Amino acid sequence: MNEHLKDRYAVIGNPIKHSKSPDIHLLFADQTGEILSYEKILAEESQFTQVVEDFFNNGGKGLNVTVPFKNHAYNFVNELSDYAKNARAVNTIYRNNTGEFVGANTDGIGLLRDLKKTLRLQLLNKKILIVGAGGATQGIVEPLLNEKPSELLIANRTPSKAEIIAKQFKSFGNIDYCALNEIPKHHFDLVLHATSVGLEGNNVALPTEIIGPSSCCYDLLYSNQDTPFMEWAKRLRAKTVVDGFGMLLEQAAESFYLWRGKRPDTGMAYHYFRPDRVPKPSL
Ligand code: ATR
């Protein structure tokens, strides 16, 4: 079919060159028999609103939003899903029946599906540490607290930023914050790395005592090779060490569902993109 006749979707960000979202959504479209196009849009911060309006005025049906625009998207839309409202960040935009822009946040749902469905982790009464208090953390706190962990601690270089998030989500569960050098030296069941540090090949200095033989270490960054955080966790023999590809895949599937009303088969997508991460069979 002529590209101009297809429903248009895209991901907007800066940088955007290495985004895997087009490949993922085109595979989902293939799986579900949906006919659509999916492109990458590079935008400058000052142009965000104009670029998004132009996209929707020119046949755009839905947008994924990535770094650094999730907050811009939150301010742009007319209506917010509950997760997006609490996270103050939007990663999925579409229009409702009356043409109003709706903003959703599927990042947290994506992470939770990966943790529970793919990695078969149970978070009830578990100790969780999140390293970093930026936009990525903001999007995952509520769904994590909904799993009722015994403790959710956010450690950040700038503790005041972790404090703001901890206060904001206080009513959802047992959440606390600290500076990186105040992390208690005991095992955590799940350690989530959510800083932007690995992007330059460096790692945040963390106490080795936080990793035990049953710890799961999860880097929200995705990469075809081990990130510095993953290398560190493997050296300490954490039980499970993964990057954020599963979260990327699952958040994309949820966005696809919001746009098209069909659920893609993410299990099959793992076989296609990352055979090393194929979900474990149910017990
Ligand atoms: P994102 O949307 O990817 O989360 P962000 O909002 O810019 O990006 O947040 C980046 C995170 O990485 C923050 O937690 C930041 O810590 P600060 O709040 O103290 O800035 C963290 N970060 C970035 N560079 C860091 C470094 N060199 N050491 C430790 N943390 C760092």
Side-chain angles (χ1 to χ4, degrees):
M1 186 193 269
N2 188 318
E3 285 295 309
H4 297 294
L5 299 175
K6 293 181 181 173
D7 285 348
R8 274 181 83 197
Y9 293 87
V11 57
I12 184 168
N14 191 343
I16 201 65
K17 205 162 125 207
H18 298 293
S19 171
K20 293 208 179 352
S21 292
D23 299 340
I24 293 173
H25 280 278
L26 292 177
L27 179 73
F28 289 166
D30 214 41
Q31 280 182 347
T32 54
E34 297 290 293
I35 295 167
L36 53 87
S37 69
Y38 194 107
E39 62 213 88
K40 296 177 199 177
I41 301 177
L42 175 71
E44 295 303 324
E45 295 213 23
S46 59
Q47 305 167 324
F48 178 80
T49 303
Q50 192 59 53
V51 173
V52 172
E53 283 176 352
D54 287 350
F55 175 77
F56 280 97
N57 289 337
N58 287 293
K61 297 282 182 203
L63 266 185
N64 280 133
V65 182
T66 187
V67 177
F69 296 127
K70 291 183 188 182
N71 205 258
H72 298 66
Y74 169 82
N75 290 316
F76 170 81
V77 297
N78 311 109
E79 240 179 63
L80 289 161
S81 73
D82 285 346
Y83 277 144
K85 197 183 299 166
N86 294 329
R88 297 181 192 164
V90 159
N91 79 335
T92 308
I93 304 180
Y94 55 98
R95 274 176 156 156
N96 65 15
N97 295 339
T98 56
E100 302 252 87
F101 289 110
V102 182
N105 191 318
T106 65
D107 286 335
I109 300 168
L111 173 67
L112 261 291
R113 291 231 171 97
D114 194 35
L115 291 174
K116 291 170 75 173
K117 202 176 75 176
T118 318
L119 301 173
R120 308 225 173 263
L121 277 191
Q122 253 290 355
L123 299 180
L124 179 70
N125 292 328
K126 296 287 165 64
K127 291 190 174 71
I128 304 177
L129 171 68
I130 304 179
V131 182
T137 298
Q138 196 90 24
I140 60 173
V141 166
E142 181 180 349
L144 284 170
L145 284 175
N146 288 344
E147 296 299 310
K148 308 224 172 311
S150 61
E151 169 185 357
L152 175 58
L153 179 65
I154 305 177
N156 198 39
R157 177 177 62 177
T158 313
S160 57
K161 281 169 72 181
E163 180 181 13
I164 291 170
I165 299 180
K167 285 199 169 141
Q168 188 191 333
F169 288 98
K170 216 170 117 193
S171 61
F172 290 86
N174 189 8
I175 184 165
D176 208 347
Y177 71 95
C178 67
L180 291 175
N181 60 7
E182 292 167 350
I183 298 174
K185 294 188 170 59
H186 64 64
H187 295 175
F188 285 85
D189 300 292
L190 174 61
V191 180
L192 293 148
H193 175 248
T195 79
S196 49
V197 174
L199 297 172
E200 316 99 47
N202 300 320
N203 197 13
V204 177
L206 297 170
T208 54
E209 293 88 344
I210 63 176
I211 306 300
S214 60
S215 300
C216 170
C217 292
Y218 194 111
D219 200 328
L220 266 59
L221 297 173
Y222 64 90
S223 166
N224 284 332
Q225 66 225 39
D226 287 355
T227 63
F229 171 72
M230 290 169 68
E231 284 173 357
W232 176 81
K234 281 187 178 175
R235 275 200 302 278
L236 295 173
R237 301 190 188 283
K239 185 178 178 194
T240 310
V241 180
V242 291
D243 76 334
F245 182 76
M247 174 176 171
L248 176 78
L249 197 60
E250 297 293 349
Q251 65 77 30
E254 188 65 20
S255 297
F256 191 93
Y257 176 70
L258 290 175
W259 292 331
R260 309 298 295 188
K262 289 189 179 171
R263 285 211 179 273
D265 177 356
T266 51
M268 187 265 230
Y270 280 106
H271 281 277
Y272 187 78
F273 291 112
R274 291 285 294 271
D276 60 309
R277 284 288 311 269
V278 169
K280 292 176 187 161
S282 334
L283 298 174

